[in-house]
């Protein structure tokens, strides 16, 4: 079928996700093949996948070893559940994850997406506290502009009004605290920073005995790759310990190599009580998400008089094909020193992006680490003029989509709190691919400057 017919059918029959009607009416690309860090569309044009799909194709496209693992599993055992019985791929994946995860983060509940992983963490926290005689601990704290997913629980703790408001009332007892925007690296004692002190203030306002969990990402995506200041995570861990609150590290993006480590612990130095994951666990070769819980907490729930069972599950949770894919993907990630590539190339990528900031007056800031960056835009860094709302919309809806097509580099324009470009290449991208990526970014920034008068 040709691209025109495919697009027409898509417009009629395929519901797009988070996509404006005018985008769906446009000549949007249709990708038919993937090779390494590149996607190929219906016209045979190659695009550098600078966002690794949606922050997920960590091992790159087109890996035959992962495809083979999926195919072998489908032919051997396409389906069995993890309800009262189990199957080898889910067990192997859970054991592999336990081996790589820090501390006693040793029990994985598999689900099918990042939202479901967050939903599972919320439910575990609530049931855990009920089982321990603390049913009043139901409230949750999360950070300003953080995205934690779309299902009603995950959406409740998401702190982006624009994507919550269309749905009216969500879960009660959710409080927002400041994110770490403006604070990174050495900012002095963290417990004296406003962005940290506000968390304890909210805990005390609400009553510490009513707070179940604090959710935070090692590097926050919403508001643009926010890297916390030194000491922030140990202080957050200490705060949770002081008040008996569960610390949940939402690593849907940050785990499986995005920051150069298997888990956020490699950056934060902290063992959270729960870790959510999804995207990079299968590099997008099959849908999978999961919640890793400290073994002690699972045992306490299982052994409690009211517990005995985590009252949660899903037909597809830990699907044999997805978990077989996870085993192949994570094993390859471990054995091919992919994280070493991120650790080596990440700082060079940051340096090159900072150089682009110096040569483009439309760049306000560059943030991030590993293979995860945000470029925050403004009209003119020389005069300090910010983009007007109309200019921001023009950049996001007109300039960038055209620029992605022209440069053949796909990134993501983001309007969550600022006008930004998000960068998150496959972890296998080598110096040559990253150089092509940077060339594309350079071109995009030039396009923006042409479209916006300083
Ligand atoms: C930190 C975080 N949590 C949760 C989610 C939701 O994941 P999914 O889209 O797989 O439901 C995302 C998705 O980007 C995310 O970045």
């Amino acid at each position: 079928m040709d691209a025109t017919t495919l697009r027409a059918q898509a417009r009629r029959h395929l519901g797009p996700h988070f996509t404006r009607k005018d985008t769906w009416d446009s000549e949007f690309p249709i990708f038919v093949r993937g090779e390494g860090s590149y996607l190929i569309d219906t016209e045979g044009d190659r695009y550098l996948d600078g966002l690794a799909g949606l922050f997920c194709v960590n091992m790159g496209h087109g890996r035959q070893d992962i495809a083979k693992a999926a195919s072998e599993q489908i032919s051997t055992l396409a389906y069995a559940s993890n309800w009262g019985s189990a199957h080898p791929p889910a067990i192997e994946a859970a054991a592999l994850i336990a081996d790589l995860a820090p501390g006693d983060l040793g029990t994985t509940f598999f689900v099918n997406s990042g939202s479901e992983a967050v939903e599972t963490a919320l439910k575990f926290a609530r049931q855990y506290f009920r089982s321990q005689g603390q049913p009043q601990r139901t409230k949750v704290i999360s950070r300003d502009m953080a995205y934690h997913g779309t299902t009603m629980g995950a959406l409740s703790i998401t702190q982006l009004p624009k994507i919550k408001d269309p749905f009216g009332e969500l879960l009660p007892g959710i409080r927002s605290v400041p994110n770490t925007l403006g604070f990174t690296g050495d900012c002095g004692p963290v417990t004296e920073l406003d962005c940290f002190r506000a968390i304890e203030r909210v805990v005390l306002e609400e009553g510490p005995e009513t707070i179940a969990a604090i959710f935070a990402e090692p590097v926050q995506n919403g508001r643009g790759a926010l890297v916390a200041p030194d000491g922030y995570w140990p202080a957050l861990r200490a705060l949770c310990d002081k008040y008996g609150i569960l610390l949940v590290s939402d690593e849907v993006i940050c785990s499986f190599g995005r920051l150069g480590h298997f888990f956020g612990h490699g950056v934060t130095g902290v063992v959270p009580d729960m870790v959510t994951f999804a995207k990079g666990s299968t590099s997008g070769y099959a849908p999978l998400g999961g919640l890793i819980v400290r073994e002690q907490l699972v045992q306490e729930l299982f052994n409690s008089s009211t517990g005995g069972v985590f009252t949660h599950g899903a037909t597809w949770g830990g699907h044999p094909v997805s978990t077989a894919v996870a085993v192949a993907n994570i094993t390859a990630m471990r054995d091919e020193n992919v994280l070493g590539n991120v650790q080596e190339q990440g700082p060079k990528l940051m340096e090159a992006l900072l150089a682009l900031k110096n040569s483009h007056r439309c760049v306000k800031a560059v943030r991030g680490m590993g293979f995860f960056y945000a470029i925050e835009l403004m009209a003119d860094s020389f005069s300090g003029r910010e983009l007007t709302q109309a200019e921001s919309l023009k950049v996001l809806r007109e300039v960038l989509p055209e620029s992605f097509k022209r440069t053949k580099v796909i990134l993501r324009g983001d309007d969550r709190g600022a006008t930004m470009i998000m960068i998150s290449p496959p972890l296998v991208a080598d110096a040559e691919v990253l150089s092509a990526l940077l060339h594309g970014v350079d071109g995009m920034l030039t396009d923006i400057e042409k479209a916006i008068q300083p």
Side-chain angles (χ1 to χ4, degrees), residues 55 113-116 118 147-150 217 221 250 252-253 278-279:
F55 311 93
S113 68
S115 298
E116 242 191 286
V118 169
Y147 179 76
H148 292 292
T150 49
E217 292 161 85
N221 184 30
D250 184 352
V252 166
I253 289 180
K279 303 176 183 268

Side-chain angles (χ1 to χ4, degrees), residues 1-12 14 24-32 40-45 47:
M1 208 180 287
D2 63 81
T4 308
T5 314
L6 282 168
R7 273 190 207 101
Q9 294 213 345
R11 281 176 201 126
R12 179 145 182 224
L14 179 63
W24 212 227
D25 288 340
S26 75
E27 299 291 288
F28 59 86
I30 297 177
F31 296 111
V32 293
I40 294 106
D41 73 3
T42 36
E43 319 305 313
D45 287 334
Y47 290 78

Side-chain angles (χ1 to χ4, degrees), residues 17 26 36 58 62-63 79 85 111 134 138 201 206 277 308 339 341 344 362 423 434 446:
H17 293 213
S26 75
N58 289 8
R63 287 198 58 131
Y79 182 75
S85 59
V111 289
Q134 299 186 67
T138 56
R201 201 163 52 239
E206 292 294 326
F277 68 84
L339 307 190
N341 184 53
E344 191 193 329
C362 68
I423 301 172
L434 294 175
T446 303

Side-chain angles (χ1 to χ4, degrees), residues 38-327:
Y38 290 85
L39 286 164
I40 294 106
D41 73 3
T42 36
E43 319 305 313
D45 287 334
R46 279 166 70 83
Y47 290 78
L48 201 168
D49 185 4
L51 204 68
L54 276 173
F55 311 93
C56 57
V57 187
N58 289 8
M59 291 299 288
H61 298 276
R63 287 198 58 131
Q64 293 310 303
D65 54 339
I66 303 179
K68 187 160 168 271
S71 157
E72 282 177 2
Q73 188 58 47
I74 290 178
S75 345
T76 314
L77 175 69
Y79 182 75
S81 78
N82 290 294
W83 304 44
S85 59
H87 50 79
I91 298 166
E92 282 169 38
L96 190 52
I97 288 167
D99 197 37
L100 296 167
D104 70 335
L105 279 162
T107 304
T108 297
F109 292 93
F110 287 114
V111 289
N112 306 290
S113 68
S115 298
E116 242 191 286
V118 169
E119 206 74 32
T120 305
L122 284 168
K123 289 181 74 180
F124 185 92
R126 289 178 75 136
Q127 195 186 346
Y128 170 78
F129 281 122
R130 285 182 89 81
S131 80
Q132 303 303 301
Q134 299 186 67
Q136 79 288 354
R137 272 200 198 264
T138 56
K139 296 178 187 168
V140 171
I141 291 172
S142 55
R143 300 186 297 180
D144 226 13
M145 309 302 291
Y147 179 76
H148 292 292
T150 49
T151 51
M152 291 303 244
L155 188 62
S156 301
I157 69 159
T158 287
Q159 300 293 359
L160 295 159
K162 215 155 86 178
I163 64 165
K164 297 174 77 159
D165 291 349
F167 305 101
E169 204 175 325
L170 299 170
L171 275 184
I174 311 296
R175 286 289 302 265
S176 161
V177 292
N179 57 44
T180 59
L181 181 68
F183 302 95
T184 194
D186 183 1
C187 299
V190 98
T191 47
E192 289 173 20
L193 300 180
D194 286 346
C195 66
F196 188 82
R197 285 155 59 114
I199 304 176
E200 186 158 25
R201 201 163 52 239
V202 166
V203 168
L204 294 173
E205 264 170 36
E206 292 294 326
E209 72 291 348
T210 67
I211 314 281
I214 297 179
F215 280 68
E217 292 161 85
V219 173
Q220 182 173 314
N221 184 30
R223 195 56 185 87
L226 303 178
V227 181
D230 298 347
Y232 179 90
W233 276 86
L236 199 55
R237 177 72 272 182
L239 182 82
C240 288
D241 290 343
K242 181 173 167 189
Y243 294 115
I245 297 167
L246 296 175
L247 177 58
V248 186
S249 184
D250 184 352
E251 304 191 9
V252 166
I253 289 180
C254 292
S255 57
F256 297 104
R258 181 66 38 213
L259 306 181
H261 302 271
F262 274 105
F263 292 102
H265 172 265
V267 170
T268 65
V270 154
V271 180
D273 297 300
M274 295 189 252
V275 169
T276 54
F277 68 84
K279 303 176 183 268
S281 63
T282 58
S283 289
Y285 284 77
L288 184 71
L291 174 70
I292 320 172
V293 188
R294 290 182 48 222
E295 287 174 68
Q296 186 190 331
L297 300 177
V298 177
Q299 288 314 315
E300 284 169 1
L301 171 62
F302 279 176
N303 295 334
S304 68
S305 54
T306 57
V309 55
F310 179 30
T311 318
H312 185 64
T315 306
W316 301 145
H319 190 280
V321 179
S322 296
T323 44
V325 162
V327 170

